Structure formats: structure tokens, C-alpha cells
Amino acid sequence: MDHPRITIIGAGNLATRLAVALYEHGFCISRIYSRTADSAKTLAAMVDTDYTTEIPHIGTDSDIYIFSVKDDALPGILKQLPPLKGLLVHTGGSIPMDIFAPYSDSYGVFYPLQTFSKTRKIDFAETPVCIEASGEKELKQLAALAESISRHVLPVNSDRRKYIHLAAVFTCNFVNRMYDIGAEILQQQQLPFDLLQPLIDETAAKIHSLSPFEAQTGPAVRYDRSVTEKQSALLNDESLKTIYELMSKNIHQRHLSNR
């Protein structure tokens, strides 16, 4: 069976890696849209296709339209759509599926649970993809698309997907900010971030054999005030001091309540 033709609306981190992954698996990317010509042209060249910076010119000949744009940009884009017969899907973690309902009867969600950067290729085969659709036909279509690039495809409704996204923010975005804070602290002392990388690697590796709760270590577990107060005093930024103290207290309370 022939692969469906796909239009990608967006040229950011996720859109770029998804478009390239689909292209490398034999899918025809019929057009790229981005509001900026440079990003649209760059991604279009990567997947050997045309591009546009005008929503009314995205074309109407695709089988699937994947919207991978900022949450607050999607409503405005949908209002500019030409009449489309294909399946409309977005890649957001927190946007409800029925945002497409006023514009089509055929719609869904294709949410890869991963952190993406334009310049870093990831293994889509190991990336979970959460899907949802307006009907059984559309769900089968999305499942086939997801299973062509991923070994981990999971039907998830909009309500549960919000909680998956929330969990992902804590375990990815917030954790990465902690790396950044650590890097800033070391930089202030003219020390390299490389010092922390083995620690980061081992912390991540441990949760393959231990639960995050079991893997937790450090002075906050036992709420060692002699250590935590001294460390808090080293922080000149009041917001970082607040983060340190709240996290230490939260870790201690979590472990105290599970003794």
C-alpha cells in the first residue's frame, strides 16, 4: 500500500525531526509551511519538497496534515485554512483533539513523547507516540503512520494526554533547567560542566533498575539542615534559593511520608 502524502505545518524542533523521520521511512512530504521563509526553506530542502509561508497556499492534495506549531498559534492558523479533505492532526501535549471539530470531521492527535532539537537526530523507533482520533478509521490511519516509525504506539485520550505532558514537563524541562543551574554555579567558580556529566548519566541510568523514589539520594532525603542551610546560603539569587529550599523540603516530606 502506498504511503499517504503528508503536509507539515510548522518547521520547529519537533516538526523538523518528525518530517525527516517520515521522509526517511519513505513518506512523501508534499509541502512545508512556516511563517518564516528561512525555516520553511531549510526544512523543505531536508525532505525534498516545496514550501510556503502562506496558510491559504499549503495545498489541498495531502492525505494527512500535521500541525506542529505553538499552542497559541494553532487557532489562528486553523481560521485561515482552505477546505481540506485529509486527516488533520496536531502534535501538542495539552491541546484537546476537538480543536479541529469546527473545520473537519476527520482529525486526531499524533503526540511523540520526546524532547526534540533541530540539529540532533533521535531514535524514533524508541520514542512513544500517543495517538487519538475522531473515529475508528482515523485511528487506524494514525496507528499505521505511528507504527511505521515507532515501536511504542499508545492510544490516549485528550484528558490523559494532559497528564502525560505535565509529567514530561517535570521529568524533562524542569530537570534540564536544573542542569542549567548546576552549569551556572560551576561557571561562576570557573569550573567545567563536564564534572557533572558522569553524575547526570548515572542518575538517569539508575531509574532503569530502581524507581525514582528508590534512587533518590542527598542531604534533602534526611533533611540534613547543617548541609542544606549552608548550601542555601551560597546562592545569591533569591529565586534559586527558593527553588533549593522548596525542593529540599519536598524531597524530605516525600520520603518521610513513605517510611
Side-chain angles (χ1 to χ4, degrees):
M1 181 168 45
D2 292 337
H3 283 321
R5 292 171 56 84
I6 299 171
T7 290
I8 305 288
I9 296 93
N13 294 338
L14 194 163
T16 296
R17 297 323 319 169
L18 179 57
V20 170
L22 291 169
Y23 176 73
E24 290 178 346
H25 281 78
F27 288 86
C28 173
I29 309 299
S30 57
R31 189 165 285 104
I32 299 293
Y33 160 83
S34 177
R35 61 185 179 83
T36 57
D38 285 347
S39 59
K41 183 178 180 179
T42 298
L43 180 52
M46 294 170 72
V47 295
D48 192 24
T49 193
D50 193 10
Y51 70 92
T52 182
T53 58
E54 303 292 334
I55 282 293
H57 299 157
I58 65 171
T60 59
D61 58 343
S62 286
D63 303 297
I64 301 175
Y65 294 82
I66 300 178
F67 294 76
S68 185
V69 297
K70 292 180 179 179
D71 290 8
D72 58 3
L74 184 54
I77 289 174
L78 293 178
K79 291 177 182 178
Q80 302 176 58
L81 285 179
L84 301 175
K85 295 181 180 180
L87 174 62
L88 312 184
V89 301
H90 70 70
T91 59
S94 297
I95 311 172
M97 176 181 68
D98 60 10
I99 192 172
F100 292 117
Y103 307 97
S104 175
D105 295 325
S106 181
Y107 53 86
V109 176
F110 189 98
Y111 173 51
L113 185 59
Q114 186 55 276
T115 176
F116 295 95
S117 298
K118 283 187 180 182
T119 57
R120 182 174 173 82
K121 189 172 183 177
I122 62 115
D123 184 2
F124 250 103
E126 297 304 323
T127 297
V129 178
C130 301
I131 60 172
E132 183 182 13
S134 56
E136 196 62 34
K137 174 185 174 183
E138 289 81 4
L139 189 64
K140 288 180 180 179
Q141 192 175 4
L142 276 185
L145 179 67
E147 288 167 1
S148 69
I149 60 173
S150 172
R151 289 197 287 264
H152 309 282
V153 179
L154 180 67
V156 177
N157 65 32
S158 289
D159 187 58
R160 295 183 72 194
R161 179 165 34 87
K162 289 187 298 186
Y163 289 97
I164 294 173
H165 192 204
L166 174 61
V169 167
F170 271 96
T171 56
C172 175
N173 305 137
F174 289 176
V175 169
N176 192 72
R177 173 56 180 144
M178 295 301 170
Y179 296 161
D180 189 33
I181 291 171
E184 290 174 346
I185 290 170
L186 291 182
Q187 187 176 35
Q188 290 167 6
Q189 301 301 315
Q190 290 81 51
L191 293 167
F193 181 66
D194 290 1
L195 280 172
L196 295 178
Q197 289 180 343
L199 176 63
I200 290 169
D201 291 344
E202 175 60 15
T203 303
K206 280 201 299 187
I207 62 168
H208 288 279
S209 57
L210 300 172
S211 71
F213 177 82
E214 293 170 324
Q216 187 75 59
T217 61
V221 173
R222 57 189 180 275
Y223 212 45
D224 188 337
R225 297 292 294 182
S226 64
V227 175
T228 58
E229 288 177 0
K230 289 176 183 177
Q231 291 191 331
S232 179
L234 294 174
L235 297 166
N236 297 320
D237 186 314
E238 287 301 317
S239 66
L240 294 186
K241 191 185 294 287
T242 299
I243 290 171
Y244 178 91
E245 292 173 354
L246 285 174
M247 286 295 296
S248 295
K249 185 176 181 180
N250 182 267
I251 290 170
H252 176 64
Q253 290 176 337
R254 168 84 168 116
H255 283 261
L256 190 62
S257 65
N258 283 271
R259 283 180 178 173

